[in-house]
């Protein structure tokens, strides 16, 4: 059935749809344009019968008999109302035989839409100067049907009003074409599409035909919801509420529809107008893509009978199903492309994350052993040193130097020396935890420190390390001899002296380590306001 013909809101008092204002402020045009239009006799007008119907729609006291009497004064309009009510699209067993029955079947909004559309189309049929009236009304009809279809799909309260707004949103073009003579004709010929036309109108006169149309609708006394809807009909979709969005999307979609129906212009291309519009509509309106395409396919069957009833020449036929199917295929291809781009972006983000992690690793870790390097150790120790002072916590440190490492390098080469360092790093890594931090300080020197623990815990850690070193092979020579090494270690605690910073703590442990070396290597010495050598086990 012609969608707008369904029963809609029954009276003028129904709440306006979302996006429509109830502001009664008188619309004002820019001065220069107001002077040109003013009381120009060339302005579009409505037949007296239609004006009476409009007045009734705004009257709180109007009843069904009043509408019937007003419509029956215009025989042509009466025939169209009856024809619409009895069309093959209606699922009624008995036909409507009177105008009153037809209005009851259609509803006030749909009846008003037919009256306005038929009245305007018939009045303007021979009045155009530069405007292609056939194209104008075809675009208006497709826009009206599309507005209604979208409003119905979204379950909005007044789809009939959406039809009316879709039909009337460009009536300002009729006024400009009638009153500006050659100026508007030249402007029309200088632009390629509707959006460019609105921009050119703003540049030339300080407003576009949407405001002119709203001004004209207010002058006719149309309901304020229609005036507001026409004024807002060319705003971007993201600037209006959902009800108005149906109307604002319908105009460009109608233009794309007519472009596809032009000769040799319905082959699928990457910049297909309908595809572009569907890409915008689906996320903006929140309508399922397949459902939207199915609804639009149905418009091709609805257009001819509706155009005849509205006294509008029917838009040229084209294979709407094929075109919309091609648009759907392009949309799916576009979605796949976007999905691939999203995947590529995620992969790139992951690559950058890994690269950042690698850079962080390189900045903070020793490349040979994989342990923290000296710079990071010093920064980390300084942080824990300050926290220990501020919070009154303990902090201890073990400074480690591998014994006879230079001789090992001289005898077996630096490659084996590197293997020993890596083997020792693996041994240290077994001891590291949240409570034991450490790394390579430089060369064959390593540092372990224990936040929150005192010298006794550090001594036990050093002893454990010595015991594991005594039994652990760190490398193997080319002739398969196991290499084990010992280490001299110095232990210091934060309470052992009045240390100023973490560097002082390291130097104290270093001093204790040298005492251990001089005592015979493979030993542990503790710093305590000087150095006190602790009893040690000889390394194995």
């Amino acid at each position: 059935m012609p969608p707008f013909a369904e029963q809609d809101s029954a009276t003028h008092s129904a709440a306006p749809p979302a996006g429509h204002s109830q502001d009664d402020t008188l619309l004002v045009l820019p001065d220069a344009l107001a002077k040109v239009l003013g009381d120009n006799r060339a302005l579009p007008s409505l037949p007296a019968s239609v004006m009476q119907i409009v007045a009734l729609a705004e009257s709180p006291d109007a009843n069904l008999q009043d509408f019937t009497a007003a419509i029956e004064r215009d025989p042509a309009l009466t025939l169209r109302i009856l024809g619409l009510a009895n069309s093959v699209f209606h699922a009624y067993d008995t036909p409507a035989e009177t105008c009153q029955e037809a209005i009851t079947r259609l509803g006030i909004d749909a009846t008003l839409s037919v009256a306005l559309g038929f009245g305007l189309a018939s009045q303007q049929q021979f009045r155009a100067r530069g405007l292609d009236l056939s194209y104008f009304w075809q675009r208006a009809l497709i826009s009206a049907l599309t507005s209604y279809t979208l409003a119905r799909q979204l379950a909005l309260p007044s789809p009939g009003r959406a039809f009316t707004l879709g039909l009337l949103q460009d009536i300002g073009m009729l006024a400009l074409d009638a009153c500006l003579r050659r100026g508007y004709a030249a402007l029309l010929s200088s632009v390629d599409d509707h959006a460019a036309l609105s921009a050119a109108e703003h540049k030339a006169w300080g407003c576009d035909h949407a405001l002119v149309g709203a001004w004209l609708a207010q002058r006719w006394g149309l309901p304020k919801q229609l005036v507001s809807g026409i004024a807002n009909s060319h705003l971007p979709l993201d600037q209006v509420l959902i009800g108005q969005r149906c109307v604002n999307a319908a105009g460009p979609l109608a233009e794309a529809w007519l472009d596809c129906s032009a000769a040799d212009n319905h082959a699928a291309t990457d910049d297909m107008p309908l595809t572009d519009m569907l890409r915008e509509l689906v996320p903006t309106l929140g309508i399922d893509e397949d459902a939207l395409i199915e609804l639009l396919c149905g418009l091709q069957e609805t257009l001819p009978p509706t155009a005849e009833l509205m006294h509008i020449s029917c838009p040229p036929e084209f294979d709407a199903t094929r075109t919309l199917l091609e648009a759907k295929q392009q949309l799916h291809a576009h979605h796949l492309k976007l999905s691939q781009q999203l995947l590529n972006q995620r992969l790139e983000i992951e690559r950058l994350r890994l690269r950042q992690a690698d850079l962080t690793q390189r900045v903070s870790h020793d490349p040979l052993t994989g342990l923290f390097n000296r710079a990071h150790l010093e920064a980390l120790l300084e942080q824990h040193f300050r926290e220990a002072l501020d919070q009154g916590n303990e902090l201890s440190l073990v400074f480690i130097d591998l014994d006879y490492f230079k001789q090992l390098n001289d005898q077996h080469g630096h490659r084996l020396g590197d293997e020993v360092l890596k083997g020792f790093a693996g041994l240290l890594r077994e001891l590291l935890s949240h409570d034991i931090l450490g790394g390579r300080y430089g060369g064959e020197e390593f540092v372990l420190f224990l936040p929150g623990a005192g010298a006794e815990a550090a001594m036990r850690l050093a002893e454990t390390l010595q015991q594991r070193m005594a039994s652990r092979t760190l490398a193997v020579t080319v002739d398969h001899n196991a290499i084990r090494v010992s280490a001299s270690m110095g232990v210091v605690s934060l309470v052992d002296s009045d240390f100023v910073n973490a560097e002082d703590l390291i130097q104290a442990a270093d001093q204790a380590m040298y005492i251990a070396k001089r005592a015979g290597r493979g030993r542990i010495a503790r710093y305590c306001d000087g150095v006190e050598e602790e009893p040690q086990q000889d390394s194995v």
Side-chain angles (χ1 to χ4, degrees):
M1 60 176 287
F4 67 93
E6 289 191 354
Q7 182 72 24
D8 199 7
S9 57
T11 70
H12 72 283
S13 60
H20 293 184
S21 170
Q22 297 192 50
D23 188 3
D24 292 323
T25 304
L26 186 66
L27 293 172
V28 178
L29 299 176
D31 292 341
L33 193 57
K35 184 177 180 180
V36 172
L37 298 179
D39 293 322
N40 196 311
R41 294 182 179 180
L43 278 174
S45 60
L46 293 172
S49 58
V50 176
M51 292 295 291
Q52 187 175 3
I53 296 170
V54 169
L56 288 172
E58 279 290 88
S59 172
D61 300 321
N63 55 42
L64 185 60
Q65 288 73 24
D66 294 329
F67 277 97
T68 301
I71 291 172
E72 287 179 341
R73 292 190 184 96
D74 187 330
L77 179 58
T78 301
L79 287 174
R80 276 162 177 75
I81 295 293
L82 282 168
L84 182 59
N86 292 321
S87 69
V88 295
F89 301 103
H90 273 283
Y92 288 90
D93 294 332
T94 58
E97 296 181 353
T98 67
C99 186
Q100 180 171 327
E101 291 176 355
I103 296 172
T104 302
R105 186 172 294 184
L106 297 177
I108 298 302
D109 274 357
T111 302
L112 181 60
S113 296
V114 175
L116 287 168
F118 174 65
L120 277 172
S122 60
Q123 288 288 311
Q124 293 295 313
Q125 187 172 3
F126 305 108
R127 296 186 181 182
R129 300 178 184 273
L131 190 64
D132 182 347
L133 275 183
S134 177
Y135 180 90
F136 174 88
W137 285 112
Q138 288 170 3
R139 185 182 190 278
L141 179 59
I142 296 172
S143 177
L145 289 172
T146 303
S147 296
Y148 183 91
T149 301
L150 295 176
R152 279 291 307 278
Q153 180 66 19
L154 294 169
L156 297 180
S158 296
R161 190 175 297 129
F163 177 92
T164 306
L165 283 170
L167 188 72
L168 300 182
Q169 63 176 306
D170 291 325
I171 56 171
M173 294 176 64
L174 296 177
L176 292 171
D177 181 65
C179 299
L180 293 177
R181 299 180 181 273
R182 297 179 181 177
Y184 198 60
L187 190 69
L188 289 169
S189 64
S190 68
V191 297
D192 297 326
D193 56 46
H194 212 76
L197 175 63
S198 293
E201 290 168 345
H202 269 288
K203 184 176 181 181
W205 299 297
C207 72
D208 67 358
H209 61 267
L211 182 62
V212 175
W215 172 84
L216 186 61
Q218 192 174 62
R219 182 186 180 97
W220 289 339
L222 294 188
K224 53 183 174 292
Q225 294 92 345
L226 296 182
V227 174
S228 175
I230 294 170
N232 296 329
S233 63
H234 288 55
L235 293 176
L237 298 184
D238 59 359
Q239 294 183 17
V240 295
L241 299 180
I242 190 64
Q244 185 71 42
R245 205 173 295 175
C246 294
V247 178
N248 295 21
L253 185 54
E255 186 170 15
W257 181 284
L258 288 170
D259 286 344
C260 288
S261 67
D264 299 323
N265 193 38
H266 63 269
T269 61
D270 289 339
D271 58 350
M272 188 175 180
L274 271 176
T275 304
D276 294 338
M277 279 305 304
L278 290 174
R279 286 176 186 170
E280 184 177 354
L281 279 177
V282 169
T284 306
L285 291 175
I287 295 178
D288 177 75
E289 179 183 302
D290 292 336
L292 178 58
I293 289 176
E294 183 178 349
L295 289 171
L296 294 176
C297 285
L299 292 184
Q300 182 70 70
E301 297 180 3
T302 308
L303 277 170
T306 309
E308 181 179 359
L309 288 168
M310 299 291 289
H311 200 64
I312 295 172
S313 61
C314 186
E317 291 187 3
F318 77 106
D319 193 342
T321 302
R322 172 190 167 188
T323 301
L324 288 164
L325 177 60
E326 290 171 348
K328 179 179 179 179
Q329 291 171 343
Q330 288 192 31
L331 281 171
H332 287 172
H334 180 67
H335 292 164
L336 288 175
K337 182 178 179 181
L338 290 179
S339 297
Q340 185 60 48
Q341 289 176 348
L342 181 60
L343 177 60
N344 291 340
Q345 289 175 354
R346 289 175 176 172
L347 291 174
E348 178 64 13
I349 290 172
E350 179 62 16
R351 186 187 69 81
L352 292 174
R353 188 191 67 78
L354 293 174
R355 182 180 179 185
Q356 180 63 35
D358 180 62
L359 290 174
T360 302
Q361 176 79 9
R362 292 186 182 189
V363 168
S364 60
H365 289 70
D366 172 58
L368 177 65
T369 64
L371 300 174
F372 287 149
N373 59 26
R374 177 171 178 168
H376 190 68
L377 276 173
E378 290 178 338
L380 198 60
L381 181 59
E382 182 67 28
Q383 174 186 337
H384 284 280
F385 181 86
R386 295 301 169 191
E387 289 179 359
L389 289 182
D390 293 342
Q391 300 172 15
N393 294 334
E394 292 189 284
L395 174 66
S396 60
L397 182 143
V398 181
F399 195 98
I400 307 162
D401 186 275
L402 301 185
D403 295 329
Y404 303 111
F405 191 74
K406 182 178 184 304
Q407 291 90 323
L408 187 146
N409 272 335
D410 292 342
Q411 182 178 354
H412 298 286
H414 289 279
R415 178 174 295 181
L416 185 72
D418 288 347
E419 291 300 317
V420 170
L421 292 174
K422 288 191 285 187
F424 182 69
L427 194 153
L428 280 188
R429 201 173 286 111
E430 296 173 3
L431 300 174
L432 297 177
S433 67
H434 177 74
D435 300 318
I436 302 174
L437 306 175
R440 185 183 182 190
Y441 195 69
E444 66 272 23
E445 297 174 335
F446 297 82
V447 168
L448 295 174
F449 62 95
L450 297 81
E456 291 76 13
M459 288 295 292
R460 288 194 298 270
L461 177 63
E463 291 167 1
T464 298
L465 180 57
Q466 286 281 32
Q467 293 168 4
R468 293 190 181 187
M469 292 181 68
S471 60
R472 183 73 62 89
T473 296
L474 300 184
V476 178
T477 65
V478 292
D479 51 359
H480 307 293
N481 291 323
I483 300 295
R484 297 176 183 173
V485 299
S486 64
S488 300
M489 306 182 196
V491 174
V492 66
S493 174
L494 187 60
V495 299
D496 289 339
S497 185
D498 294 328
F499 299 111
V500 176
N501 51 42
E503 184 180 355
D504 290 347
L505 201 65
I506 293 176
Q507 289 180 354
D510 187 39
Q511 292 175 26
M513 181 273 296
Y514 274 107
I515 294 298
K517 276 196 178 295
R518 286 195 292 269
R521 292 183 171 80
R523 299 176 182 270
I524 304 169
R526 179 182 171 189
Y527 179 93
C528 186
D529 279 334
V531 175
E532 178 182 349
E533 189 174 342
E534 298 289 338
Q536 301 298 321
Q537 293 182 354
D538 292 337
S539 61
V540 179

